[in-house]
Amino acid sequence: MTLIVVPCYNEAGRLDPDAFAQVQTPCLLVDDGSTDRTREVIDRICEDGRHRQLILTTNVGKAEAVRQGLLTAIHDGATRVGYWDADLATPFEEIPRFNAILDRDERIDLVLGARINLLGREIHRSSSRHYVGRIFATAVSAVLGLPVYDTQCGAKLFQVSEDLRTILAEPFISRWIFDVELLARWITLPVGDVSRADQIYELPLRTWQDVSGSKLHPVDLLKAPFELLRIHARYFGSP
Ligand SMILES: Nc1nc2c(ncn2[C@@H]2O[C@H](COP(=O)(O)OP(=O)(O)OP(=O)(O)O)[C@@H](O)[C@H]2O)c(=O)[nH]1
Ligand SMILES: [Mg+2]
């Protein structure tokens, strides 16, 4: 069973109950101590009995909300788990493409959505976000030593394994760029038959649409380089 974690912080205005009614894959909606009517909307979405909810009474931030959600999904018996931004900037229609990658190649454990504006795709992202994102992605590639294009896309799907449990066992040290930290943990795990890098697949999305109402403030962008340095020191620094 695949279970998709949807972190929600004050998302009453952006959650789309119709989209949840239509999607085939069950979701675990995590309310992260929202102060608006998010819980009511989540209750309504979960009425059909397919989707589940996890209520965190105080706000712990996206990183910890996603981690708690993934651990709950694994505990509930999911064999594939992922996370998906509540604004559905990546539409649910992309989920089968993520599953297809894991179906096709058993060496792959992590599938990351990548927002690459190729011809024939519908990737609508503001140019300022795009260029800041390219600079950040270049720094991330250098720190991880991995030619990853887009760590920050809010759509990811993982095969459940002992390794996945291991990298989720402890809270992340970063609040904003935990996606990078998750990859840092993965590639520093002991290596088996397949190299850690070869277990990761970036899937260029067909559609991605910037949705207004982002909770990311410009000041948060300034924190990203510092968090990246902390990740470098923690996972790649000399002992
Ligand atoms: N649990 C939790 N989730 C959060 C928090 N802040 C944002 N999120 C969730 O993170 C996801 C993405 O949030 P957005 O505000 O859309 O982020 P964004 O700035 O648009 O980022 P992009 O969509 O990648 O451009 C949504 O599912 C939010 O509900 C938080 O404090 N706690
Ligand atoms: Mg968004």
Side-chain angles (χ1 to χ4, degrees):
M1 176 203 35
T2 300
L3 194 52
I4 301 280
V5 171
V6 181
C8 304
Y9 178 59
N10 289 348
E11 291 288 1
R14 296 202 301 178
L15 279 172
D16 177 2
D18 291 341
F20 283 89
Q22 282 161 24
V23 64
Q24 300 281 323
T25 310
C27 297
L28 173 67
L29 293 100
V30 182
D31 176 28
D32 184 19
S34 297
T35 51
D36 67 353
R37 294 175 42 254
T38 295
R39 240 176 113 165
E40 276 173 48
V41 182
I42 291 180
D43 280 344
R44 188 142 66 88
I45 287 171
C46 294
E47 265 169 14
D48 71 357
R50 283 185 319 124
H51 302 304
R52 309 172 190 190
Q53 54 180 293
L54 173 65
I55 306 296
L56 306 176
T57 45
T58 50
N59 179 253
V60 292
K62 182 177 177 183
E64 182 60 9
V66 166
R67 194 182 74 90
Q68 295 285 342
L70 293 172
L71 288 172
T72 302
I74 294 170
H75 181 262
D76 289 354
T79 49
R80 282 180 191 169
V81 295
Y83 55 94
W84 219 263
D85 280 353
D87 57 9
L88 302 186
T90 311
F92 279 146
E93 287 75 35
E94 295 272 4
I95 296 174
R97 299 182 64 225
F98 282 65
N99 267 314
I101 303 295
L102 294 174
D103 290 341
R104 193 182 73 195
D105 190 341
E106 64 177 22
R107 294 175 314 157
I108 293 171
D109 278 287
L110 314 180
V111 183
L112 322 177
R115 297 162 291 181
I116 308 175
N117 197 6
L118 303 168
L119 289 173
R121 313 287 165 125
E122 295 288 341
I123 308 294
H124 298 291
R125 202 174 180 206
S126 82
S127 28
S128 57
R129 280 287 195 98
H130 171 77
Y131 289 113
V132 172
R134 292 322 311 142
I135 295 167
F136 179 70
T138 305
V140 168
S141 291
V143 166
L144 295 179
L146 202 65
V148 57
Y149 183 87
D150 186 5
T151 51
Q152 298 316 106
C153 177
K156 297 187 168 69
L157 186 66
F158 310 138
Q159 190 71 49
V160 172
S161 65
E162 237 5 88
D163 288 338
L164 187 67
R165 286 193 184 89
T166 302
I167 65 165
L168 296 173
E170 299 290 327
F172 295 105
I173 60 169
S174 43
R175 188 176 167 106
W176 299 105
I177 56 166
F178 72 98
D179 315 66
V180 176
E181 190 175 352
L182 187 144
L183 293 178
R185 287 181 177 184
W186 185 267
I187 60 175
T188 53
L189 285 171
V191 181
D193 297 340
V194 181
S195 84
R196 289 295 170 190
D198 286 345
Q199 295 173 319
I200 307 172
Y201 188 94
E202 285 193 289
L203 176 63
L205 298 175
R206 286 194 180 140
T207 310
W208 191 88
Q209 175 75 55
D210 214 344
V211 180
S212 63
S214 164
K215 282 165 216 75
L216 196 74
H217 297 288
V219 67
D220 298 327
L221 282 178
L222 298 176
K223 293 180 190 156
F226 296 100
E227 290 203 346
L228 194 54
L229 288 174
R230 286 185 68 206
I231 290 171
H232 180 262
R234 171 74 176 76
Y235 298 95
F236 303 98
S238 39

